Amino acid sequence: MPVGRLRQDGDKPFGDDLPKQVALVGGQLRLSVNAFAIDDGHEVILIDTGAANAWHPTMGRLPQALDEAGIDARRIRIVCFTHTHLDHIQGLVLADGRDAFPRLARLLVPREELDLFRTEARLKRFHDMAEPFEAGDRLGTHVDIIGAHGHEVGHSCFRASSGGECILIWGDTVHVPSLQFDRPEVTWEFDTDQDQARESRLRLLALAADDHCFVAGAHLDSPGIGRVARSGGGFRFEPL
């Protein structure tokens, strides 16, 4: 991604003033794209699905990742989207056009983005299956949904709890971990509402740090899981 995707106060892009802590690859930002599975031993809930072959040729490796994790795609009965940007939803369909999850029974989409989802022609066969969720809803006994609006109108976080531990699967709360933990006020060009996205990021960072939750982020460096700690006036990420 171009460095200009990062935005300072007033929607100002970075240029020569980009902090040195941000590592570039060929002069550009490098983002991982991650999806996360919650396996309770009975069924698997998948949070986001990646982009399949709908965007960049280095994406679409979810089937291989599931194989590496020992998860049979036929066990995935529930798919939930943190939001409806293409790098989170297009993995419902494999590159060859087949359904990625042949036994899919429920497809959960943020209520505010249901109409956005139903504009995706490539996913037309799933339009009628999609059902809305909203902040405060629960999935079974272990997962509850936290509103994290701003990056998109219905952007949401899934909190899974078990055995006294919790993990926040927070979608696009952070895009560039080398900068946005230390400086959470920095936003992203494609945040629908940058002020609201900033507020949601600060709230979730504080929740993760103060409640000692793990976090799992769609654009944290692979594998995208770690802990958050307060550090000075900001936070720091401690990857697993």
Side-chain angles (χ1 to χ4, degrees):
M1 288 284 188
V3 170
R5 296 281 189 255
L6 286 168
R7 297 302 171 96
Q8 307 174 68
D9 287 344
D11 198 26
K12 177 185 175 183
F14 285 93
D16 294 339
D17 55 346
L18 183 72
K20 296 185 185 306
Q21 69 207 67
V22 181
L24 301 179
V25 178
Q28 295 196 318
L29 302 165
R30 182 187 183 278
L31 276 68
S32 289
V33 179
N34 308 310
F36 298 95
I38 303 171
D39 187 348
D40 66 3
H42 171 61
E43 64 183 3
V44 178
I45 298 173
L46 186 66
I47 310 296
D48 292 333
T49 65
N53 61 331
W55 191 11
H56 196 280
T58 62
M59 304 170 76
R61 298 180 180 176
L62 181 61
Q64 295 93 320
L66 289 169
D67 286 343
E68 290 177 6
I71 297 174
D72 187 333
R74 291 172 296 182
R75 291 185 58 218
I76 297 173
R77 305 297 305 280
I78 302 173
V79 169
C80 308
F81 295 140
T82 58
H83 62 299
T84 56
H85 290 178
L86 67 84
D87 54 326
H88 297 259
I89 67 174
Q90 294 290 348
L92 284 174
V93 176
L94 298 173
D96 63 8
R98 291 180 297 123
D99 289 359
F101 313 107
R103 297 185 64 208
L104 184 65
R106 298 185 69 192
L107 178 61
L108 303 179
V109 179
R111 182 178 297 278
E112 299 89 342
E113 298 184 40
L114 201 56
D115 289 342
L116 289 173
F117 175 75
R118 288 173 175 159
T119 67
E120 293 290 337
R122 184 174 179 272
L123 305 178
K124 183 177 180 179
R125 61 184 180 266
F126 296 100
H127 289 178
D128 291 340
M129 172 183 275
E131 58 182 280
F133 70 78
E134 53 194 27
D137 288 351
R138 293 187 61 84
L139 298 177
T141 58
H142 297 292
V143 181
D144 64 297
I145 300 170
I146 300 171
H149 300 177
H151 176 60
E152 190 47 273
V153 293
H155 186 260
S156 300
C157 169
F158 294 81
R159 177 170 53 192
S161 304
S162 179
E165 293 187 318
C166 64
I167 185 168
L168 303 176
I169 303 172
W170 68 11
D172 285 13
T173 295
V174 168
H175 284 84
V176 182
S178 60
L179 183 61
Q180 287 181 293
F181 285 98
D182 181 45
R183 293 182 55 183
E185 77 278 6
V186 173
T187 57
W188 190 246
E189 179 183 5
F190 297 126
D191 290 338
T192 299
D193 184 325
Q194 292 190 358
D195 289 338
Q196 191 177 36
R198 183 183 298 111
E199 184 279 328
S200 291
R201 180 166 43 259
L202 287 165
R203 175 166 46 85
L204 289 177
L205 285 168
L207 176 64
D210 296 343
D211 287 3
H212 305 289
C213 281
F214 290 96
V215 298
H219 300 303
L220 301 183
D221 296 338
S222 182
I225 300 175
R227 289 190 184 274
V228 176
R230 292 185 179 271
S231 179
F235 299 85
R236 70 174 185 273
F237 180 57
E238 301 170 347
L240 287 184

